[in-house]
Each structure stands twice: as C-alpha cells, then as structure tokens.
C-alpha cells in the first residue's frame, strides 16, 4: 500500500473526496434554499407521522375512546378509592365499592331525572320546533333572504342528515360495539382502581438512569392534570346547570329541569357544548314566552358562562389545564370527526394531559439557564 506525500493512503483520499463532493455542493447552496429544504423534509416527516397516527386512531377508535373514558373515570374516582383505603378497606373491595357507588349515583340520578322530566321531553321537542319557526320568521323579516331560499337550505340540511343516518344493521352493530365498550370499560376500571399504582411502580422499576425521574415526574403531572380536569369539569358543569336552571325558573321558562340537564351534559364539551345548550334554552324561551324572555335568557346564559370562564374555571382548574380556546376548538372538532360525541367528550382531556407531559419532559431535558 503506497502513501502520497501527505502520508495518507490513496483509498482514504478517494473516500474523503467522494464524501466531500455532496458536502461542498450542499454548502454551495444559498442559505434560503438550505432552510427551505430542511424545513420541507421535517414537514414531510411530521405530516406522514400524523397521517399514520390518524389512521391508527380511526381503526382503534372504539378501544381508544373506551380507554380514555376509563382513565377519566379512574381519575375522577381516585379520591373515593383513597378514602376507602385509608379506612383499611382492602384494594379489591375498595375498587368494587367505588364502582358500585358510581353505578348507584348514575342509576339514581338517571331514574330521578326520568321520573321528573319524561313527560316533558315531548313538549321540549315541540317547543324547539316553535322556536325554530319563530327564528325562521325573524330571519326572513330582517335579512335579505326569502322564505323559498330558507326552505331550500333547511331541506338540503334535512336531506344531508337523513342521508347520513345509519341503517338498522349498522345501528345494531354500533349498539353492540357500545355495549362491549361499556363492559370493557367497567372491567378495566376495576383493575385500574385496584392495581393502577402498583402497575405504575412496576413500569418505573424497569427504567434506569435519569429516564426514571423524568418518567415519574411526567406521570405525576399527567395524572394530576387528568384528575383536576375531570373533577373540575364536573363541578363547573354542575354550577353552570344550576345557574342557568335558576335563571329559567325565575323567568318562568318551561322545561327548566331538562334544559338544566342538557346544560350539565354540555359542560363536558368545552366551548361547543355550552354554546349548544345555551342556544337550546334561548329557543325554548323564544317559543314559550316570546322575544323579551328569550333575550333575558340569552343575557342570563352569557352572564353565567362569563362568570364560569373568568372566575370559576381559573379558580377550580387553577393552572393544571392550559389550552388556548382555539386549540380546544380544533381538538373538539377533530375528536368529533373521529369518534362522534364520545370523541368530543374525551378529546380535550387527552390533549391537556399530552401537552402537560410533553412540557414536563421538555423542561427536564432543557439545559439549565446560565
């Protein structure tokens, strides 16, 4: 093997020359071109990853929704389980008693509401139809829209809804999937309440080095965020339902209890749920008592929601859930498109927990400031 005058072998010189060509060509490009190529490659990788995650989420939507709902209930019921454990109740009976308490509350509240409002839901539908008719008259009298054009738009919307309605076979299959998901969620809820902490400790014991501390901190922050969101959302929804329900009673709007129940359920879907529930209440007030009562109902709904958004939510949620309203709208819309109403319910807590975990890991891995 010979060497050139610099003491390097010809093979080494040839290899370096071969690798130096692309580097010199890349270095010779203008910096805007280098930046555009780099960001385009990163964008392609990110979009491909998001597309794959979306396909997986659509395929596993029932499992993902059941798992997310189970984690939501676990975080909500965790204080009850801890109270039973402090009273020296073993893990398995404590988890079973917690689930039975949940089922008892749901069945009791559902039976009470049904007995009080079952005869009023038919009237609620009629009141909504009358409210829509009055709104239609208001639109045609104040806006440059004729009755024929408005009827055509309404007919197109109805055709779209009826065209998207599932057939009986698909409906039966969906009902079977829902029943299976509920059974799966109850069984998984029992095991998470019974062995959730021991499972987490098992995961941490399998990690070594600094990853254990980062994972433990991220897990604590994520679990705290989910618990704060679940309990805070329930409290805020109950306060909204109580406030709007009292306003409807004072204004003598009929069907106050069903409307309060709709408001409570809508509180679990941020922004969109409150808007829809408030619109239903205003329509019923318009149909029952006229535009003056409808305007007063609208003012009451806005006042309650402003108090909830500016005072109660920061006080109850504190700083555990930090998502911009625009992000919440996007997340709720994406969850609805993927899994319907169930996706709308669980999309925000998933996004909040994911953001808090990523933020915690990022802060741990970032170098300390000088």
């Amino acid at each position: 093997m010979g060497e050139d005058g610099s003491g390097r072998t010809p093979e080494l010189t040839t290899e370096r020359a071969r690798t130096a060509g692309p580097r010199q060509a890349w270095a010779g490009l203008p910096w805007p071109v280098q930046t555009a190529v780099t960001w385009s490659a990163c964008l392609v990788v990110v979009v491909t990853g998001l597309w794959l995650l979306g396909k997986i989420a659509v395929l596993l939507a029932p499992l993902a929704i059941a798992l997310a709902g189970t984690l939501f209930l676990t975080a909500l019921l965790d204080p009850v389980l801890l109270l039973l454990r402090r009273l020296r109740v073993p893990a398995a009976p404590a988890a079973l008693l917690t689930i039975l308490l949940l089922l008892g509350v749901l069945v009791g509240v559902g039976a009470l509401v049904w007995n009080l409002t079952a005869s009023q839901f038919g009237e609620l539908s009629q009141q909504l139809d009358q409210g829509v008719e009055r709104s239609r008259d208001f639109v045609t009298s104040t806006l440059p829209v004729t009755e024929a054009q408005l009827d055509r738009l309404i007919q197109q919307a109805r055709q779209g809804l009826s065209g998207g309605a599932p057939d009986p076979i698909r409906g039966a299959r969906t009902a079977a999937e829902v029943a299976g998901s509920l059974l799966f969620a109850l069984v998984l809820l029992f095991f998470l309440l019974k062995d959730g902490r021991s499972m987490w400790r098992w995961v941490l014991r399998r990690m070594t080095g600094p990853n254990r501390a980062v994972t433990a901190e991220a897990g604590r922050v994520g679990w705290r965020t989910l618990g704060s969101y679940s309990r805070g959302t329930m409290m805020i929804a109950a306060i909204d339902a109580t406030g709007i329900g009292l306003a409807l009673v004072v204004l003598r709007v009929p069907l106050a209890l069903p409307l309060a129940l709709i408001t409570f359920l809508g509180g679990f879907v941020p922004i969109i749920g409150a808007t829809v529930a408030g619109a239903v209440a205003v329509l019923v007030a318009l149909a029952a008592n006229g535009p003056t009562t409808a305007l007063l109902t609208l003012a009451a709904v806005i006042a309650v929601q402003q108090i909830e958004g500016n005072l109660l939510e920061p006080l109850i949620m504190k700083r555990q859930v930090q998502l911009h309203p625009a992000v919440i709208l996007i997340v709720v819309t994406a969850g609805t498109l993927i899994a319907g109403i169930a996706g709308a319910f669980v999309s925000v807590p998933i996004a909040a927990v994911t953001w808090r975990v990523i933020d915690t890991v990022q802060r741990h891995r970032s170098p300390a400031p000088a």
Side-chain angles (χ1 to χ4, degrees), residues 76 227-237 316-317:
L76 180 65
S228 299
Y229 178 86
S230 58
R231 292 184 289 272
T233 301
M234 180 165 287
M235 293 175 60
I236 292 173
I316 295 174
M317 296 288 192

Side-chain angles (χ1 to χ4, degrees), residues 59-214:
L59 292 175
L60 301 178
L63 176 62
I65 293 301
L67 181 59
T70 304
L71 290 175
F72 183 89
L73 290 176
T74 305
L76 180 65
L77 299 173
D78 192 53
V80 179
L81 178 71
L82 292 178
L83 178 61
L84 293 176
R85 295 291 289 156
R86 292 192 190 99
L87 296 176
R88 307 290 184 179
V89 180
L96 184 59
L97 287 174
T98 304
I99 294 177
L100 291 177
L101 177 63
L102 171 66
L103 294 177
V105 170
L106 292 178
V107 172
V109 172
L112 177 63
V113 172
W114 179 259
N115 290 331
L116 293 177
T117 62
S119 60
Q120 297 180 346
F121 276 105
E123 185 181 352
L124 176 60
S125 177
Q126 296 177 0
Q127 296 284 357
L128 287 177
D129 290 339
Q130 294 178 10
V132 170
E133 288 297 326
R134 289 196 176 187
S135 301
R136 177 177 175 276
D137 296 338
F138 175 78
V139 169
T140 55
S141 61
T142 56
L143 298 178
V145 179
T146 63
E147 293 185 1
Q149 293 174 342
L150 188 58
D151 290 337
R152 192 180 309 115
L153 292 175
I154 295 175
Q155 184 65 25
Q156 291 176 356
R158 289 178 177 175
Q159 290 178 355
L161 292 175
S162 61
D167 55 14
I169 298 178
R170 184 177 300 176
R173 185 173 59 185
T174 302
E177 292 178 354
V178 170
S181 299
L182 290 177
L183 181 60
F184 169 78
L186 285 177
V187 175
L188 184 60
L189 177 62
F190 172 78
F191 285 113
L192 288 180
L193 290 173
K194 176 179 174 290
D195 301 321
R197 285 178 170 80
S198 60
M199 292 178 183
W200 181 244
R201 288 193 293 267
W202 181 87
V203 172
L204 292 179
R205 283 196 300 267
R206 297 304 184 273
M207 296 185 176
T208 57
N211 291 332
R212 176 183 295 180
V214 175

